[in-house]
Amino acid sequence: ESVILRTEAQLRDILSAPGPLSFWWELSLSELVFQLGDKGCFLSEAVYEDDYTAALRLLFEPERERLGHNCKALLRALCERGIAPADFTFDSALAGYLLDATAGSYELSRLSMKYCGFTPFTAEAAPTQSSLFDEGPDEQAEALRLSELFSRAASVEALREAMLPRLEEQGMLPLFEEIEMPLCRVLADM
């Protein structure tokens, strides 16, 4: 199920469900996607009707486990916006680096294929027949873009399930959890 969040009441209702928040964002905090259980949630400053910064604060309160990819950049963007976010507990790019420091690339699609056996959905790979949706081309393009973003957020959670046991097998889980993840926050603050 996918949800475009428009109000604080809607966001609070979603956040009342237990479980980790798995984030994906690109370049700007004006849009971000998170997965919570089987719900893909899209938060956009352009369509959110209430205080967007307050919504971001709700998402990054310390009570919830957070997962992401390249968390340092997201933490830095939040700090620049005046939000002091709680730490993330998992970063798939950082875990990928620890598991294979010589790989040179820690892109989400590469890590998903290597550790989970799939790549996130991409709009380029989708069929272009208009029969997919009952909407016009602009709505189809937006629906495909959102599907891609939701798939990326879900991939982060799948990577956590695949990578944490490997980190533990290699004796690197304490390094990851006790040093590297807290260091993300320190580096983001710099």
Side-chain angles (χ1 to χ4, degrees), residues 17-21 36-37 64-65:
L21 296 174
L36 177 58
R64 175 93 53 181
E65 182 178 11

Side-chain angles (χ1 to χ4, degrees), residues 1-6 10-11 14-15 17 20-24 32-44 59 143 145-155 157:
E1 177 184 3
S2 59
V3 178
I4 296 175
L5 298 167
R6 299 184 189 282
Q10 189 183 22
L11 176 59
I14 295 283
L15 292 176
L21 296 174
S22 179
F23 286 94
W24 180 260
L32 81 103
V33 171
F34 65 92
Q35 186 81 18
L36 177 58
D38 63 349
K39 285 191 168 121
C41 302
F42 177 69
L43 183 65
S44 169
L59 283 174
R145 184 178 81 86
L146 289 177
S147 294
E148 182 174 334
L149 296 174
F150 293 143
S151 177
R152 290 179 178 278
S155 294
E157 189 164 358

Side-chain angles (χ1 to χ4, degrees), residues 117-133:
F118 69 86
T119 58
F121 168 83
T122 60
E124 292 88 29
T128 57
Q129 293 94 343
S130 61
S131 62
L132 267 178
F133 304 98

Side-chain angles (χ1 to χ4, degrees), residues 72-127:
K72 182 176 64 172
L74 178 54
L75 289 168
R76 182 175 297 127
L78 288 163
C79 290
E80 288 171 357
R81 196 164 180 135
I83 298 168
D87 290 340
F88 278 75
T89 56
F90 180 79
D91 182 329
S92 53
L94 185 53
Y97 173 77
L98 288 178
L99 290 169
D100 187 0
T102 62
S105 171
Y106 304 99
E107 295 169 357
L108 186 71
S109 58
R110 191 184 85 62
L111 293 174
S112 294
M113 180 53 81
K114 181 174 183 174
Y115 295 102
C116 301
F118 69 86
T119 58
F121 168 83
T122 60
E124 292 88 29

Side-chain angles (χ1 to χ4, degrees), residues 5 40 52-53 57 59 67-68 77 82 91 94 123 134 137 142 155 181:
L5 298 167
Y52 189 74
T53 300
R57 282 193 177 93
L59 283 174
L67 323 172
D91 182 329
L94 185 53
D134 290 332
E142 183 64 7
S155 294
M181 287 309 302

